[in-house]
Amino acid sequence: QQQVKQSPQSLIVQKGGISIINCAYENTAFDYFPWYQQFPGKGPALLIAIRPDVSEKKEGRFTISFNKSAKQFSLHIMDSQPGDSATYFCAASKSQGGKLIFGQGTELSVKP
Amino acid sequence: DTGVSQNPRHKITKRGQNVTFRCDPISEHNRLYWYRQTLGQGPEFLTYFQNEAQLEKSRLLSDRFSAERPKGSFSTLEIQRTEQGDSAMYLCASSPRGSPNQNTEAFFGQGTRLTVV
C-alpha cells in the first residue's frame, strides 16, 4: 500500500513537444503529491506539487493533473526544451510525518 | 543560506569498514530526512528527525545503520561493516514544520555517493 508506480521509464520528445509522465498510487491516505526533477550528480529539486482537493495545478510550462477516484496523477511539460532533459520523479506522502514515497523515475530526453 | 549541505560528496571504502556521512540542513528547518538512492531508482526513505528526536526508521535501516541529530541541527549517518550492497547515493533533505495537516517542501542536498569495493 506504500507503492507509487511511475511510467514510462524513459521518454524521448522533440523540442517544443509535450512530455507526459504518469503515476499511480495505492494508499488513499496520501494527500500530497509532488514532482521532483533530478539532474545527474544532483539531488532532487521540487518542481510542482498538488493536493487532492484540486484536479489540476499549473506553474509555467508544468501542469499536474490529478484524478482522485482513479488514484492517478500526471505531469505535463508543455513546449519541452533540451534543458528539461533530466530524470523526473513523482512522489506521495501523508500529512503527518512527511516522508516521501517516490516512483521509479522517468528519464526524459528532449531532442533539439 | 546555501541549502542543504552534505559531506563528503563521494566516499570509496573497502568492504567491512565503517563510514560516516554528515548533513547540514537549512537553518531553522526542524525536520531532517535521510534517503538512499540506487542507480535508476527513486530515493527510498531511511529515517527522519524532528529536531533531535528520531521519529521513524525504515525497515531498510538495518542494525549496521545508525543516524543521529544530537542538537537538532546537523545529522550524521553511520554505516558499520559496509557491504557492497550499501553502494548508493545517500540523500539528506530538510523541511520546516508546517501547521498541522500541512506538508511543506523538502529540500534535498546533493548527496553522498558511497562506493564499497
Side-chain angles (χ1 to χ4, degrees):
Chain A
Q1 279 229 324
Q2 293 290 322
Q3 206 171 15
V4 176
K5 295 183 179 179
Q6 183 173 344
S7 63
Q9 191 172 354
S10 62
L11 183 60
I12 299 173
V13 173
Q14 291 295 316
K15 180 181 175 182
I18 302 174
S19 304
I20 301 174
I21 305 171
N22 301 298
C23 280
Y25 63 98
E26 299 174 1
N27 190 339
T28 55
F30 290 146
D31 67 351
Y32 175 69
F33 302 91
W35 285 88
Y36 280 82
Q37 180 188 57
Q38 187 176 30
F39 292 103
K42 304 291 187 181
L46 180 68
L47 201 58
I48 186 172
I50 197 169
R51 295 183 182 277
D53 52 347
V54 297
S55 60
E56 186 175 282
K57 183 175 181 180
K58 183 176 181 179
E59 291 183 0
R61 296 185 295 111
F62 302 94
T63 300
I64 299 179
S65 296
F66 186 83
N67 185 330
K68 188 174 181 178
S69 61
K71 294 188 286 185
Q72 295 176 347
F73 58 110
S74 61
L75 175 69
H76 296 233
I77 306 174
M78 312 300 285
D79 187 27
S80 299
Q81 299 296 313
D84 296 331
S85 298
T87 301
Y88 292 81
F89 294 96
C90 62
S93 71
K94 304 176 191 178
S95 293
Q96 288 80 24
K99 70 178 182 185
L100 293 165
I101 307 300
F102 282 87
Q104 298 90 333
T106 296
E107 188 173 357
L108 172 65
S109 178
V110 181
K111 299 299 185 184
Chain B
D1 193 301
T2 57
V4 178
S5 177
Q6 292 190 245
N7 288 288
R9 292 292 312 280
H10 304 274
K11 178 71 176 180
I12 300 174
T13 191
K14 291 183 178 180
R15 189 175 54 185
Q17 297 295 304
N18 299 343
V19 293
T20 300
F21 310 139
R22 176 177 170 126
C23 172
D24 287 89
I26 295 172
S27 300
E28 299 178 358
H29 278 194
N30 47 24
R31 288 187 176 179
L32 186 148
Y33 310 82
W34 285 99
Y35 291 83
R36 181 172 68 187
Q37 185 177 26
T38 53
L39 202 61
Q41 299 295 316
E44 295 175 293
F45 171 77
L46 293 178
T47 187
Y48 101 95
F49 294 83
Q50 175 124 326
N51 300 312
E52 66 274 13
Q54 189 173 17
L55 296 187
E56 187 173 351
K57 290 167 52 173
S58 163
R59 287 173 295 176
L60 294 174
L61 217 63
S62 75
D63 292 345
R64 296 183 298 105
F65 289 70
S66 63
E68 294 182 342
R69 194 183 182 196
K71 296 182 180 179
S73 56
F74 73 92
S75 175
T76 58
L77 178 68
E78 181 183 17
I79 309 174
Q80 296 182 328
R81 305 181 304 281
T82 52
E83 302 173 355
Q84 286 187 320
D86 298 331
S87 295
M89 174 79 85
Y90 289 84
L91 292 163
C92 176
S94 71
S95 71
R97 183 183 182 189
S99 57
N101 297 320
Q102 179 187 13
N103 285 103
T104 55
E105 178 181 352
F107 293 84
F108 282 82
Q110 297 201 57
T112 294
R113 180 164 296 284
L114 173 66
T115 303
V116 181
V117 297

